[in-house]
Amino acid sequence: MTSILQAALQLLATFVVLQSCAAHHKRKCSEGEPIITQATQPVLHAEGPHWDVETQSLFFVDIEAEKVNRYDPATNQVTQATLEGGGVSIVIPVEGTKARKLVATRGHDVVVLSWNYENATFSNTTRSENITVIASVETSSRLSGNRWNDGKADAKGRLWAGTIGPEPVVGHVVPDQAAFYLLDPNSTETITEVQNVTNSNGLVWNKDNTLLYYIDTGTLQIDVFDFDLEHGLISNRRKVFNLPENNVPGFPDGMTIDNKGNLWIACFNGGRVINVDPRTGTLLRSVLMPATRVCSLMFGGPWLDTLYVATSRLGLTDEEHAQQPLAGSVFAVDCLGVSALAPAHNVIRNDIANE
């Protein structure tokens, strides 16, 4: 059998499998109600889910355990890389590396992690075979209790990310000590975009890359900036949606956007994710989750229509553990009738990772 014929048969087989999966997917969602399933076993504090289209896998972190995790839905396996030296809160693939090279944050540092997806532990060193520090912020003794929190890559592959102040009690952060930053290879320094932040959290861009939606959890609301993609500039901050004003419990945490241009927001201590139209400030729907501490979310899966939702069990009492035994899991929410806006904001530029 020639290699061309073998390739053709393999392609046909793949097409048949995908068609079968699509038919099953359609039947599963015929009733029109969201279906929530547990994707991973509980960890302490799952955060920062990031779907990688190229490898069809979900990366996420366990902040307190200092771990980067990779979940493979095809095998239902999770592997872990421990990054010693501080809370690990962001993980984003680097372009052109088939996700074997990742940008992550550890404590005050932005690092590049080279990882083969096997369980491993990497020590707290500035440079090693597997870890390179490419930026550090808020290293003064006054801000020693701060750490990186949430971030994403824009359509030009630049890293936008922010920090969080000290959190003496889960959900209660010292205000106005953190900031929101841009890491751009055209600059010799990390650029401070917003100061006096309490907890820099979810961020996402609209389809045209003219708006950047942003959450500082301490404000209890979602804001929007005008966004200049070419020059990496933000301006004209204003309110989009406030949780208390709309009787939504909890604190706004991670955020993503769907193909209709509507926002999906995780409500920490609110036990739900909410769907908001940012153009009108309208609450469209709420999806209750099997955990109160809902941290972050991102669309993934073969059709980019599974909403992966990360949760936490950090700080729960024994009684709360008993009431929500799956807290700390990543959940898959299907049948929402929407998908990811696009897989465009997906990777970090290689020249940033090579600084």
Side-chain angles (χ1 to χ4, degrees), residues 24-140:
H24 174 73
H25 191 73
K26 186 175 181 179
R27 288 195 303 272
K28 183 176 70 171
C29 295
S30 61
E31 296 183 1
E33 291 295 325
I35 296 176
I36 302 173
T37 56
Q38 182 187 18
T40 72
Q41 292 299 308
V43 298
L44 189 58
H45 190 170
E47 256 283 13
H50 188 106
W51 179 259
D52 182 60
V53 174
E54 187 170 7
T55 61
Q56 291 291 294
S57 58
L58 183 78
F59 293 96
F60 66 100
V61 301
D62 183 351
I63 294 180
E64 302 300 321
E66 303 181 344
K67 295 182 185 297
V68 171
N69 302 276
R70 177 180 181 265
Y71 166 61
D72 183 351
T75 63
N76 205 35
Q77 296 296 310
V78 175
T79 52
Q80 303 172 331
T82 302
L83 277 60
E84 296 177 345
V88 176
S89 60
I90 299 172
V91 55
I92 306 172
V94 176
E95 66 174 351
T97 62
K98 296 188 182 298
R100 299 285 175 163
K101 184 183 285 187
L102 307 165
V103 165
T105 51
R106 177 189 64 184
H108 298 268
D109 298 331
V110 181
V111 305
V112 176
L113 168 66
S114 298
W115 180 36
N116 63 5
Y117 303 155
E118 295 179 356
N119 292 325
T121 297
F122 303 109
S123 62
N124 182 18
T125 56
T126 300
R127 283 187 177 271
S128 70
E129 182 180 349
N130 298 95
I131 293 181
T132 302
V133 176
I134 59 173
S136 299
V137 298
E138 301 175 7
T139 56
S140 69

Side-chain angles (χ1 to χ4, degrees), residues 3-325:
S3 59
I4 295 177
L5 181 57
Q6 287 176 325
L9 289 174
Q10 181 63 44
L11 184 61
L12 177 61
T14 301
F15 176 77
V16 170
V17 169
L18 287 175
Q19 288 294 98
S20 176
C21 290
H24 174 73
H25 191 73
K26 186 175 181 179
R27 288 195 303 272
K28 183 176 70 171
C29 295
S30 61
E31 296 183 1
E33 291 295 325
I35 296 176
I36 302 173
T37 56
Q38 182 187 18
T40 72
Q41 292 299 308
V43 298
L44 189 58
H45 190 170
E47 256 283 13
H50 188 106
W51 179 259
D52 182 60
V53 174
E54 187 170 7
T55 61
Q56 291 291 294
S57 58
L58 183 78
F59 293 96
F60 66 100
V61 301
D62 183 351
I63 294 180
E64 302 300 321
E66 303 181 344
K67 295 182 185 297
V68 171
N69 302 276
R70 177 180 181 265
Y71 166 61
D72 183 351
T75 63
N76 205 35
Q77 296 296 310
V78 175
T79 52
Q80 303 172 331
T82 302
L83 277 60
E84 296 177 345
V88 176
S89 60
I90 299 172
V91 55
I92 306 172
V94 176
E95 66 174 351
T97 62
K98 296 188 182 298
R100 299 285 175 163
K101 184 183 285 187
L102 307 165
V103 165
T105 51
R106 177 189 64 184
H108 298 268
D109 298 331
V110 181
V111 305
V112 176
L113 168 66
S114 298
W115 180 36
N116 63 5
Y117 303 155
E118 295 179 356
N119 292 325
T121 297
F122 303 109
S123 62
N124 182 18
T125 56
T126 300
R127 283 187 177 271
S128 70
E129 182 180 349
N130 298 95
I131 293 181
T132 302
V133 176
I134 59 173
S136 299
V137 298
E138 301 175 7
T139 56
S140 69
S141 58
R142 184 179 70 85
L143 300 176
S144 61
N146 289 16
R147 62 163 173 79
W148 286 106
N149 191 54
D150 202 352
K152 285 180 180 165
D154 69 16
K156 284 188 173 290
R158 297 170 297 210
L159 177 64
W160 295 76
T163 55
I164 179 175
E167 191 175 15
V169 178
V170 176
H172 297 274
V173 179
V174 177
D176 302 330
Q177 284 200 188
F180 182 50
Y181 298 94
L182 167 62
L183 183 61
D184 190 329
N186 297 320
S187 174
T188 57
E189 297 180 355
T190 303
I191 302 169
T192 304
E193 297 288 344
V194 182
Q195 295 180 319
N196 299 319
V197 171
T198 297
N199 180 1
S200 188
N201 232 314
L203 63 154
V204 72
W205 292 264
N206 69 337
K207 182 178 181 180
D208 298 328
N209 290 298
T210 57
L211 299 173
L212 169 60
Y213 298 104
Y214 173 72
I215 293 172
D216 173 1
T217 296
T219 67
L220 299 178
Q221 67 187 34
I222 296 86
D223 290 338
V224 64
F225 294 93
D226 292 330
F227 183 68
D228 181 339
L229 174 65
E230 184 63 30
H231 301 98
L233 299 174
I234 57 175
S235 61
N236 191 25
R237 182 176 180 175
R238 62 248 186 223
K239 180 178 71 173
V240 168
F241 184 86
N242 180 281
L243 270 64
E245 290 174 2
N246 289 273
N247 299 314
V248 177
F251 301 86
D253 203 319
M255 177 167 55
T256 193
I257 190 168
D258 65 31
N259 60 336
K260 296 181 180 180
N262 296 322
L263 304 175
W264 291 84
I265 301 134
C267 298
F268 190 86
N269 278 349
R272 69 197 64 206
V273 299
I274 58 173
N275 185 206
V276 171
D277 183 339
R279 291 146 297 208
T280 63
T282 303
L283 176 64
L284 301 175
R285 54 180 159 170
S286 297
V287 179
L288 299 181
M289 300 301 299
T292 57
R293 293 184 168 169
V294 185
C295 301
S296 192
L297 65 181
M298 186 177 189
F299 285 99
W303 298 276
L304 297 175
D305 61 352
T306 295
L307 186 65
Y308 286 104
V309 181
T311 66
S312 174
R313 58 186 174 92
L314 181 68
L316 294 181
T317 65
D318 290 342
E319 181 180 0
E320 289 168 334
H321 272 296
Q323 293 170 345
Q324 43 185 307

